[in-house]
């Protein structure tokens, strides 16, 4: 947002150096992105010579000026009031003047190049006189004009979302005056009696608000006998300084008040408004509601905009004439022959205005930016009176008596906040003097009653973000200066009873995966609807939750699985020349209608019953591993790697044994996919991406993927690691080769072998799988069995007995045949 320093000085002295003002804003929480000085390159120049241009019919003359350069500068001027020896202001090429979109250039006149030009008071933003040059009474050639003139400076500030009051000059002036201990002179927001009419406004307009949730407050004033014309020079200079083009005294007054008080307004021609709705008898009927299917509006630029049912609109009777907080209609705007102005100030639902503005205009406007932040509902009466008085003053009109004020019941007020200096000291970590804190808060507009070390604080109407003691502490801290808070080590909060707390589940799993050679990726919680349909993962049977206000179709739904985002990240890396990648992500998915709504009373306005069930947000682990050579055995090895990582994670962190049950999963290759089972229930999916899915994500090679619910794989807190003394006794390793039916499952075989091997079987590992002729109906497996006795040296005969027991169990229970 652009802030004019000269405009700020209408409300406070602020005579400190510009650098001090900028630092004061930064120190109190308002970022200053840039500072632009008006006519920063302009310099003082002395006129050395003037001679007429023979071809000119309008008195254009050649001027030779001394601008402090090595040689005099030759240019052309049409000013009648300049003489040889005068001190003037020269704007050389590249100078930016207030209100100019482009910098000053070189102009050719009568065949002569004229670099820049000599400036009038209007061009420097210092007055209304454009008939001649601004003549200086001091200065030396080449001296910056800013050193001899009070040129304006414009600050580009970044206002935090919780401070919509700072989206106006009065709000910024309040911050600076408080920081510099100066008095604040706020503008009068009352309509002077001299400008009021005895006629009541109720005779001319009525208002009906059908959607009080979307429009908590709607106010109107009527100004009659207005003479529409140019606004005065002082107002035009204020608007141009912050980048707005003056239009007329009515529209300029609404923009001026918006930039002053941060409350947008809208002005209608009352007669045109009434005629748009087909009303008669001179009475205008205003309706505020949501748009209906098929409605549209023609804006001031002649463009038609289709409306949707969530858009808030203002209607003349039933006809839409304005989109709330976004655009006005072409047939009700103020024009040159307008005589009666219908002035509106309202409070709108911020998210609704933001969504409509983005959809219709693809970018925020000055008004929608302010409404989106959540303006206080106490601003409309102040702004509508201030603006009505300005319109009547500038246009010679009269303000009808009273206002029409529609709002939903009694407007809520923030109750006083009681806080002690001990509380402030605890929060800020620094001693706080109660009188000093009270003074700082009072400068910011708070009312303070002090009784010893206790402060009873009334929150001003424009600070809807201050509600609790911590908010008060923040105001005191930033006002007194965070630099005053000493740097200290944190105090002991509780006795140290362990070396370190247990890491969160995510951290423990992350350590395992990083140690297994996978790289972590972080992707968006949004995804495209077609991507979610293409690869559903664990959320394959769930309907994605659509966003009401998506940034684009690419980010239109909440993810039900991590796999689409990981595949997108994998494709991005492949397109940048990386290959043979393995990525993982730990994050939340969003499954519709799983979790119940919050308890009654936890949401404002008694709207609990209208809330839908909240989505479940399971914590998932997703993994993708890409094989660039496209070979089946390579991707099979990657599948085994992902399976072993998951098995190790479950066993090491929670002692859970994991198995894979073959199953056809949407998006995964038939015959190379399965359901992950842990603790007797399915917790995830594993498999190779189907070729069509690969093409859909722009991937090449072959890709193995896996996804599990972490609370299913590790249902409790991670186990505390325990140390086991490695055995110093030798182990006996024996290999066992068998053939089994083609439909046999490795997980089942490992369970049978582990059970049959007895207490001496330390581990069993599957070494190889061989599938010959599929028509034969059998396949071959090779296992490596490790036997060890805990307290003695195991004999080979004992290990052989264990091996034969395993073989017999596989033959009996799995239909295996031992290969000799």
């Amino acid at each position: 947002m652009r802030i004019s320093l000269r405009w700020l000085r209408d409300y406070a002295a602020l005579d400190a150096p510009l650098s001090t003002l900028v630092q004061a804003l930064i120190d109190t929480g308002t970022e200053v992105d840039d500072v632009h000085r008006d006519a920063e390159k302009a310099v003082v120049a002395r006129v050395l010579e003037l001679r007429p241009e023979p071809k000119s019919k309008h008195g254009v003359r050649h001027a030779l000026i001394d601008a402090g350069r090595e040689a005099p500068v030759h240019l052309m001027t049409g000013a009648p009031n300049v003489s040889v020896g005068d001190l003037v202001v020269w704007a050389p090429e590249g100078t930016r003047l207030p209100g100019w979109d482009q910098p000053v250039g070189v102009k050719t006149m009568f065949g002569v190049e004229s670099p820049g030009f000599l400036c009038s008071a209007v061009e420097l933003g210092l007055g209304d006189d454009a008939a001649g040059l601004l003549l200086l009474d001091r200065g030396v050639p080449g001296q910056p004009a800013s050193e001899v003139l009070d040129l304006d400076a414009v600050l580009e500030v970044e206002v935090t979302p919780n401070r919509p009051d700072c989206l106006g000059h009065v709000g910024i002036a309040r911050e600076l005056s408080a920081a510099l201990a100066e008095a604040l002179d706020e503008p009068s927001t009352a309509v002077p009696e001299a400008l009021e009419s005895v006629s009541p406004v109720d005779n001319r307009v009525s208002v009906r608000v059908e959607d009080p949730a979307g429009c908590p407050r709607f106010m109107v004033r009527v100004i009659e006998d207005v003479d529409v014309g140019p606004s005065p020079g002082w107002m035009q200079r204020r608007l141009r300084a912050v980048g707005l083009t003056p239009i007329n005294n009515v529209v300029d007054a609404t923009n001026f008040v918006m930039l002053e008080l941060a409350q947008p307004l809208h002005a209608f021609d009352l007669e045109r408004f009434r005629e748009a709705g087909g009303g008669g008898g001179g009475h205008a009927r205003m309706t505020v509601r949501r748009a209906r299917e098929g409605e549209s509006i023609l804006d001031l630029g002649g463009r038609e905009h289709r409306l949707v049912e969530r858009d808030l609109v203002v209607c003349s009777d039933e006809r839409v004439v304005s989109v709330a907080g976004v655009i006005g209609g072409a047939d009700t705007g103020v024009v040159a022959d307008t005589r009666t102005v219908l002035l509106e100030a309202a409070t709108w639902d911020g998210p609704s205005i933001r969504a409509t503005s983005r959809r219709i205009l693809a970018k925020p406007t000055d008004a929608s930016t302010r409404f989106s932040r959540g303006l206080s509902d106490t601003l409309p009466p102040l702004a509508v009176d201030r603006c009505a008085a300005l319109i009547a003053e500038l246009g010679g009109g009269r303000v009808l008596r009273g206002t029409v004020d529609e709002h939903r019941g009694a407007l809520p007020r923030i109750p006083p906040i009681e806080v002690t200096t001990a509380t402030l000291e605890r929060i800020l970590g620094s001693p706080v003097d109660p009188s000093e804190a009270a003074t700082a808060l009072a400068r910011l507009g708070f009312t303070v009653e002090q009784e010893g070390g206790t402060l009873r604080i009334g929150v001003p109407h424009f600070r809807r973000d201050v509600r609790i003691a911590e908010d008060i502490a923040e105001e005191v801290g930033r006002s007194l200066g965070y630099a005053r808070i000493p740097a200290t080590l944190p105090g002991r909060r509780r006795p140290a009873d362990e070396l370190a707390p247990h890491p969160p589940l995510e951290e423990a799993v992350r350590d395992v995966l990083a140690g297994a050679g996978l790289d972590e990726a972080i992707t968006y919680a949004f995804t495209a609807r077609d991507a979610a349909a293409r690869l559903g993962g664990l959320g394959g049977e769930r309907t994605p939750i659509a966003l009401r206000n998506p940034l684009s179709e690419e980010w239109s739904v909440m993810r039900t699985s991590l796999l689409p985002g990981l595949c997108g990240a994998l494709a991005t890396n492949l397109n940048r020349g990386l290959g043979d990648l393995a990525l993982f992500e730990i994050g939340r998915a969003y499954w519709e209608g799983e979790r119940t709504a919050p308890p009654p009373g936890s949401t404002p306005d008694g709207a609990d019953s209208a809330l839908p069930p909240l989505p479940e947000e399971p914590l998932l682990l997703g993994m993708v591993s890409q094989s660039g050579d496209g070979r089946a055995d390579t991707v099979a090895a990657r599948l085994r790697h992902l399976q072993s990582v998951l098995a190790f994670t479950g066993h090491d962190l929670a002692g859970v044994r994991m198995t894979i049950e073959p199953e056809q999963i949407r998006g995964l290759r038939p015959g190379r996919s399965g359901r992950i089972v842990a603790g007797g229930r399915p917790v995830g999916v594993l498999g190779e991406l189907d070729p069509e899915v690969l093409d859909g994500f722009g991937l090449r090679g072959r890709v193995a993927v896996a996804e599990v619910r972490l609370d299913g794989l590790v249902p409790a807190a991670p186990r505390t690691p325990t140390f086991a003394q490695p055995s110093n006794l030798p182990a006996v390793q024996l290999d066992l080769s068998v053939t089994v039916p083609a439909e046999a499952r490795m997980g089942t075989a490992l369970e049978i072998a582990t059970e049959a091997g007895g207490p001496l079987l330390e581990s069993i590992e599957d070494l190889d799988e061989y599938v010959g002729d599929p028509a034969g109906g059998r396949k071959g497996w090779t296992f490596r069995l490790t036997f060890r006795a805990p307290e003695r040296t195991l004999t080979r005969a004992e290990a052989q007995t264990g091996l034969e027991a395993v073989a017999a169990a596989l033959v009996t229970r799995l239909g295996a045949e031992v290969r000799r």
Side-chain angles (χ1 to χ4, degrees):
M1 185 181 71
R2 295 165 67 97
I3 294 292
S4 163
L5 179 57
R6 182 176 289 121
W7 196 342
L8 289 176
R9 285 173 175 160
D10 289 344
Y11 316 115
L14 304 181
D15 51 5
L18 180 59
S19 59
T20 301
L21 299 178
V22 170
Q23 193 59 48
L25 282 176
I26 294 173
D27 289 344
T28 54
T30 302
E31 287 297 325
V32 180
D33 294 334
D34 205 352
V35 177
H36 308 284
R37 288 183 176 272
D38 281 355
E40 192 166 7
K41 293 185 178 181
V43 297
V44 176
R46 187 178 299 278
V47 180
L48 301 177
E49 180 183 324
L50 289 169
R51 57 184 175 86
E53 167 53 51
K55 298 179 183 178
S56 173
K57 299 178 181 180
H58 302 287
V60 176
R61 293 182 286 177
H62 294 260
L64 200 65
I65 61 172
D66 176 10
R69 300 189 174 188
E70 294 182 358
V73 178
H74 180 203
L75 46 76
M76 310 296 287
T77 180
N81 67 326
V82 64
S83 304
V84 173
D86 285 343
L87 285 174
V88 294
V89 177
W90 175 51
E93 182 183 3
T95 303
R96 285 193 176 271
L97 297 175
W100 286 45
D101 293 331
Q102 299 295 329
V104 172
V106 177
K107 188 175 182 180
T108 301
M109 302 175 65
F110 302 103
V112 178
E113 285 191 350
S114 182
F117 57 81
L118 306 180
C119 299
S120 67
V122 169
E123 289 156 343
L124 292 170
L126 296 175
D128 301 332
D129 185 8
L133 301 183
L134 177 67
L135 302 181
L136 306 177
D137 55 8
R138 64 189 180 94
V140 296
Q143 183 180 9
S146 59
E147 295 182 3
V148 297
L149 295 173
D150 183 23
L151 296 177
D152 198 7
V154 176
L155 283 61
E156 297 276 358
V157 301
E158 186 71 28
V159 178
T160 55
N162 67 313
R163 295 299 307 276
D165 58 296
C166 286
L167 292 172
H169 280 72
V170 170
I172 296 295
R174 183 182 294 109
E175 292 289 297
L176 285 172
S177 63
L180 301 175
E182 295 184 358
L184 179 69
D185 183 17
E186 297 192 43
S188 173
T189 55
V191 178
E193 290 184 7
L195 298 177
E196 279 198 309
S197 167
V198 295
S199 300
V201 68
D202 294 341
N203 291 344
R204 303 298 301 275
V205 62
S206 61
V207 175
R208 184 176 81 254
V209 177
E210 296 182 358
D211 187 354
C215 180
R217 190 169 196 174
F218 190 91
M219 296 189 68
V220 294
R221 275 274 203 180
V222 174
I223 309 97
E224 60 183 1
D225 300 328
V226 176
D227 183 13
V228 177
S231 54
W234 66 267
M235 180 174 283
Q236 293 193 33
R237 289 194 296 276
R238 293 289 186 267
L239 297 179
R240 285 196 178 98
V242 295
L244 292 187
T245 302
I247 298 174
N248 58 52
N249 50 5
V250 175
V251 176
D252 291 354
T254 62
N255 286 331
F256 179 85
V257 173
M258 175 185 70
L259 295 168
E260 181 182 58
L261 301 179
Q263 170 66 50
L265 304 103
H266 190 80
F268 301 95
D269 181 316
L270 180 62
E271 297 306 319
R272 301 178 74 206
F273 182 95
R274 180 181 56 78
E275 292 168 1
H283 191 87
R285 292 186 293 272
M286 305 185 77
T287 303
V288 179
R289 59 173 173 81
R290 298 281 178 174
R292 295 169 184 149
E293 188 67 32
E295 288 184 320
S296 63
I297 187 173
L298 198 67
D299 68 16
L300 297 173
R303 295 179 297 273
E304 184 178 13
H305 302 278
R306 292 288 177 183
L307 304 178
V308 299
E309 293 182 358
R310 67 171 178 265
D311 296 333
L312 285 163
V313 294
V314 178
C315 304
S316 175
D317 203 356
E318 290 300 319
R319 182 185 172 190
V320 176
V321 295
S322 171
V323 180
V326 181
I327 57 173
D331 53 356
T332 58
V334 173
V335 293
D337 59 355
T338 294
R339 298 293 294 163
T340 306
V341 174
L342 175 60
L343 183 64
E344 163 225 316
T347 305
W348 303 104
D349 174 58
S352 179
I353 299 300
R354 182 167 53 247
T356 299
S357 177
R358 180 177 289 122
R359 185 182 58 79
I360 291 180
L361 301 178
K363 61 180 180 180
T365 63
D366 287 334
S368 68
T369 296
R370 287 162 173 81
F371 285 127
S372 298
R373 300 290 184 94
L375 294 177
S376 169
D377 49 23
T378 59
L379 280 177
L382 304 177
V384 76
D385 284 357
R386 168 71 166 158
C387 190
L390 279 174
I391 293 173
E393 177 185 344
L394 303 180
R398 307 278 288 179
V399 182
L400 297 192
R401 178 166 49 87
T403 61
V404 178
D405 185 3
E406 289 293 319
H407 55 82
R408 51 178 182 182
L411 296 174
R413 293 290 178 265
I414 299 175
I417 302 171
E418 192 169 288
V419 62
T420 64
T421 51
T423 300
L424 296 178
E425 291 174 0
R426 176 182 58 79
I427 297 172
L428 293 175
S430 174
V432 176
D433 181 84
S435 298
E436 196 176 14
T439 301
L441 291 169
R443 288 175 180 155
L444 290 169
F446 295 83
T447 60
V448 185
E449 297 177 8
Q450 181 185 349
E451 185 175 337
T454 300
L455 304 178
R456 184 177 174 83
I457 301 152
V459 180
H461 70 89
F462 50 83
R463 291 301 304 273
R464 309 298 290 178
D465 60 311
V466 178
R467 295 180 177 273
I468 57 177
E470 284 74 10
D471 297 330
I472 296 296
E474 180 184 0
E475 296 301 305
V476 172
R478 71 185 186 89
S479 298
L480 301 183
Y482 290 121
R484 292 176 46 171
I485 300 175
T488 59
L489 292 173
R492 178 180 293 181
R493 299 294 185 265
R494 60 183 178 84
D497 55 5
E498 54 187 12
L499 293 178
H502 292 292
L505 173 62
E506 302 96 296
E507 292 300 321
V509 175
R510 188 174 285 114
D511 288 344
V512 173
L513 297 171
L518 283 80
D519 294 313
E520 184 173 11
I522 300 175
T523 66
Y524 290 109
F526 315 132
T527 189
R529 192 178 294 275
D530 62 340
R534 192 183 305 128
L535 182 58
L538 268 181
E541 304 304 320
R542 303 176 187 271
T543 301
I545 301 171
L547 296 178
R548 292 182 180 177
N549 183 28
L551 297 174
S552 68
E553 183 59 32
E554 186 180 1
W555 314 114
S556 59
V557 297
M558 301 298 291
R559 66 186 180 191
T560 57
S561 167
L562 305 183
L563 295 182
L566 282 172
C567 287
L570 188 61
T572 299
N573 281 275
L574 293 175
N575 291 336
R576 282 159 176 73
L578 301 176
D580 290 328
L581 293 169
L583 304 177
F584 78 90
E585 180 177 11
I586 299 172
R588 300 279 176 185
Y590 303 88
W591 294 347
E592 189 173 30
E594 295 289 336
R595 189 155 54 97
T596 58
S602 61
T603 57
D605 303 324
D608 304 308
S609 59
L611 289 175
L614 296 175
E616 184 182 4
E617 300 178 19
L619 185 64
L620 305 184
L621 163 63
M623 298 187 290
V624 295
S625 183
Q626 188 259 356
S627 167
D629 60 15
R631 293 170 49 188
D633 58 340
T634 306
V635 75
R638 290 184 176 269
L639 277 171
R640 288 194 295 271
H641 178 239
L642 296 185
Q643 181 177 348
S644 65
V645 169
L646 290 174
F648 179 80
T649 302
H651 179 269
D652 192 58
L653 298 182
V656 173
R657 185 175 182 83
M658 185 196 80
T659 60
I660 307 295
E661 295 182 356
E663 184 178 331
Q664 179 54 45
I665 309 294
R666 178 164 56 88
L668 302 184
R669 198 172 191 132
R672 283 184 176 264
S673 62
R675 189 74 61 181
I676 301 173
V677 177
R681 59 192 182 96
V683 298
V685 295
L686 172 77
E688 180 188 348
L689 285 187
D690 188 89
E692 291 185 2
V693 176
L694 282 173
D695 293 340
F697 285 103
L699 294 169
R700 59 181 181 271
R702 300 178 78 161
V703 177
V705 302
E707 185 172 48
V708 296
R709 284 191 65 154
L710 281 185
D711 61 357
L713 188 64
V714 186
R719 292 193 301 179
T720 302
T722 56
F723 174 76
Q725 178 69 39
S727 175
N728 57 1
L729 299 172
V732 177
Q733 289 186 333
L734 300 174
D735 291 348
L736 172 64
S737 296
V738 297
T739 63
V740 294
E743 65 274 10
R745 300 176 182 177
M746 177 64 74
T748 304
L750 293 175
E751 289 180 356
I752 293 172
T754 301
E755 180 183 342
L760 297 180
L761 178 62
E762 184 177 82
S763 65
I764 180 170
E765 177 184 0
D766 57 311
L767 293 182
D768 187 32
E769 179 181 56
Y770 173 77
V771 179
D773 183 6
R778 297 186 71 80
K779 57 187 176 183
W781 285 339
T782 299
F783 301 99
R784 175 159 293 168
L785 290 79
T786 301
F787 296 90
R788 191 194 310 266
E791 298 176 351
R792 59 184 176 83
T793 300
L794 189 70
T795 65
R796 187 175 183 85
E798 291 175 304
Q800 185 65 38
T801 301
L803 175 70
E804 292 174 355
V806 169
L810 292 174
V811 169
T812 303
R813 298 173 58 184
L814 201 64
E817 295 180 3
V818 179
R819 294 188 301 172
R820 303 297 179 180

